[in-house]
């Protein structure tokens, strides 16, 4: 098992976190998604999975939910 933390922009409420959790939960191997919501800012999204996830897959899932995976260092 591995837990990776991603930074996601644009979430403002519980509906937002539910949408991101749902999309990330569809990725193969994902066991759990926990979100530290920072309404209107950058939220920390902790994903526990069987093995490391491809960033492109995570980015696509977050995009599908309607939000943006923050670029490191940006």
């Amino acid at each position: 098992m591995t837990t990776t933390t991603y930074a996601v922009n644009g979430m403002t409420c519980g509906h937002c976190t539910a949408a991101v959790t749902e999309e990330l939960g569809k990725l193969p191997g994902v066991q759990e998604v926990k979100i530290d919501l920072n309404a209107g800012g950058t939220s920390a999204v902790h994903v526990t999975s069987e093995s490391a996830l491809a960033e492109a897959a995570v980015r696509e899932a977050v995009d599908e939910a309607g939000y943006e995976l923050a670029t490191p260092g940006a």
Side-chain angles (χ1 to χ4, degrees):
M1 291 292 214
T2 183
T3 300
T4 306
T5 301
Y6 301 95
V8 176
N9 294 324
M11 294 188 289
T12 59
C13 65
H15 179 267
C16 300
T17 61
V20 171
T21 299
E22 179 181 354
E23 291 301 326
L24 288 172
K26 293 177 184 177
L27 295 177
V30 170
Q31 302 295 314
E32 182 176 43
V33 178
K34 290 185 179 181
I35 298 176
D36 297 329
L37 179 63
N38 178 10
T42 301
S43 299
V45 179
H46 311 281
V47 180
T48 301
S49 55
E50 294 172 358
S51 59
L53 300 171
E55 185 177 328
V58 173
R59 186 174 300 282
E60 186 175 318
V62 170
D63 184 63
E64 182 66 27
Y67 305 97
E68 177 187 11
L69 188 65
T71 303

